[in-house]
Amino acid sequence: MVSIKTSNDAKRSGHETPRFRDSHRSRAQSILALIPIALSTEDPLQGTRHRHFSSSRLEKAKNANSWDTAYEVELSNHRSNPSDEGTVWFSDACAAESILDYLSGSAPSAADISSPPCSPSASVLDLGTGNGHLLFLLRDEAGFTGPMVGVDYSPQSIQLARQIAAERQKTKKKQQGEQGEDVEVEVEVEGSQDAHNGDSSSTPTMISTRDVVRLEQWDIMSDEQPGDWFADATAGHGFDVILDKGTFDAISLSADVDATSGRRIYESYPARVSRLLKPSDGLLLVTSCNWTEDELRSSFEVDENGSTGLEACDRIAYPTFEFGGKKGQSVCSVIFRRTR
């Protein structure tokens, strides 16, 4: 087991881009109304602490239509105002910027890693990509050039992310034209959403070959195998980096129990993610506001079948607060490495 330093001395100078405006926080709070408040209780299935939720709000959070409805609102907002790209999860903690800084090697590593943990050409998968915000930041601001795929089980989410990708590309081309730069060769992106009527149409969205971020509907908790995007991005060997910013939190909301094992279905998530990572050195970054670092390590390193093949190797430091003589933080990010 790799020892992770837990010093809270490391501080990050928080900053906000125009995307992190108060209006976005208000919208995030509205969507969070769909998510129940977590309570730490004893799990009768295995006698350890897990997150459970009030039943009335749990049903809302479990209902896929609730998320689809939220994304429908954001789709409409974006059509009316293309600069409004929707909710940015964990924006108050500057989680997206912290993840970018970590992957780029510009943030202090709790494990004293002196070099960036991955190459800018690494293949990246964003699970539960939402509006694709994190991938767009990696591509546009951190300079990552490798294959990028964002997946989400909500079709409205993918529709929104594709709509934003198309609008971003239009803005880039306009800026290039104004600056007299050469416009890059364009390619059609299969399955793109029409930004005007919101349908999956035969009219392609034109995106430059260098900038393309592939956005696909896929539910990791289903029995459906990954689409051709997996082989295209990784040659079938697994992703170099997988990002989870709140997806494990959302899946943990489900109280459904697996009929075979008798355990909560979210408990199979770590093993499912591990299979998508490159063996021996693939990295998984899990960011959560519902689970502590110790709970994440416990959940992701071992499941009912034994080792998941994941081992915690680092963490991202966030500003801490103190209440009642105890220190804590509103969000945590733990990095796991696939060991086999």
Side-chain angles (χ1 to χ4, degrees):
M1 180 70 65
V2 177
S3 176
I4 300 179
K5 295 181 180 180
T6 57
S7 170
N8 289 318
D9 293 335
K11 299 290 184 180
R12 183 180 183 284
S13 58
H15 64 278
E16 290 190 316
T17 68
R19 299 186 193 90
F20 300 107
R21 294 171 299 189
D22 290 339
S23 61
H24 289 170
R25 288 179 180 148
S26 299
R27 190 179 306 112
Q29 291 170 353
S30 298
I31 296 177
L32 283 170
L34 300 172
I35 302 178
I37 299 173
L39 303 173
S40 295
T41 64
E42 291 293 319
D43 188 337
L45 296 177
Q46 63 180 44
T48 55
R49 290 178 65 198
H50 287 281
R51 304 295 181 176
H52 292 265
F53 310 91
S54 61
S55 59
S56 61
R57 294 175 69 191
L58 176 59
E59 291 307 313
K60 284 186 178 180
K62 285 170 58 180
N63 187 350
N65 290 334
S66 297
W67 295 102
D68 291 343
T69 299
Y71 285 120
E72 286 283 6
V73 172
E74 298 202 336
L75 271 164
S76 177
N77 291 340
H78 184 260
R79 292 188 194 108
S80 300
N81 177 15
S83 66
D84 183 352
E85 296 185 348
T87 302
V88 177
W89 292 97
F90 305 146
S91 61
D92 287 344
C94 293
E97 292 98 336
S98 296
I99 292 170
L100 259 64
D101 288 349
Y102 177 81
L103 291 176
S104 302
S106 58
S109 168
D112 290 333
I113 298 175
S114 58
S115 59
C118 63
S119 165
S121 62
S123 57
V124 180
L125 172 65
D126 187 20
L127 290 172
T129 194
N131 59 5
H133 177 79
L134 190 52
L135 292 179
F136 298 144
L137 286 184
L138 281 170
R139 184 69 92 210
D140 298 340
E141 297 188 17
F144 274 63
T145 59
M148 287 191 179
V149 180
V151 297
D152 203 294
Y153 84 108
S154 168
Q156 281 75 13
S157 159
I158 296 303
Q159 185 176 334
L160 173 64
R162 288 173 173 169
Q163 185 171 290
I164 291 171
E167 188 62 36
R168 280 174 169 252
Q169 182 64 9
K170 285 171 56 179
T171 300
K172 287 181 184 178
K173 292 169 74 172
K174 181 179 179 181
Q175 292 172 344
Q176 289 173 344
E178 291 174 350
Q179 296 170 5
E181 299 178 8
D182 292 335
V183 177
E184 300 171 28
V185 177
E186 297 174 330
V187 295
E188 294 185 3
V189 178
E190 182 179 357
S192 296
Q193 305 288 341
D194 187 287
H196 299 290
N197 59 27
D199 296 328
S200 297
S201 69
S202 58
T203 303
T205 298
M206 307 301 285
I207 296 188
S208 117
T209 53
R210 188 186 68 182
D211 294 336
V212 66
V213 172
R214 189 160 179 177
L215 301 156
E216 301 288 342
Q217 182 186 356
W218 184 63
D219 184 358
I220 189 174
M221 300 308 293
S222 72
D223 293 330
E224 179 186 0
Q225 293 299 308
D228 59 359
W229 48 265
F230 180 77
D232 290 347
T234 71
H237 300 309
F239 284 89
D240 296 308
V241 178
I242 294 181
L243 305 173
D244 173 328
K245 187 161 70 74
T247 300
F248 184 59
D249 284 355
I251 292 174
S252 302
L253 297 175
S254 174
D256 291 344
V257 174
D258 182 85
T260 302
S261 66
R263 302 173 74 90
R264 299 270 295 280
I265 61 169
Y266 79 85
E267 295 181 58
S268 68
Y269 178 77
R272 290 171 180 263
V273 176
S274 179
R275 291 193 289 267
L276 300 172
L277 273 173
K278 181 178 292 185
S280 301
D281 60 358
L283 294 178
L284 167 66
L285 280 73
V286 182
T287 301
S288 171
C289 64
N290 280 344
W291 301 83
T292 66
E293 291 181 18
D294 288 343
E295 288 172 332
L296 286 177
R297 293 181 63 176
S298 175
S299 296
F300 276 81
E301 292 182 334
V302 179
D303 64 9
E304 66 270 23
N305 298 315
S307 173
T308 62
L310 298 172
E311 183 177 284
C313 62
D314 208 347
R315 60 186 287 273
I316 294 176
Y318 291 96
T320 61
F321 61 87
E322 186 169 349
F323 181 78
K326 295 184 178 181
K327 287 186 177 181
Q329 56 194 49
S330 61
V331 64
C332 66
S333 294
V334 180
I335 295 85
F336 298 88
R337 186 181 301 277
R338 182 174 173 181
T339 57
R340 54 178 171 79

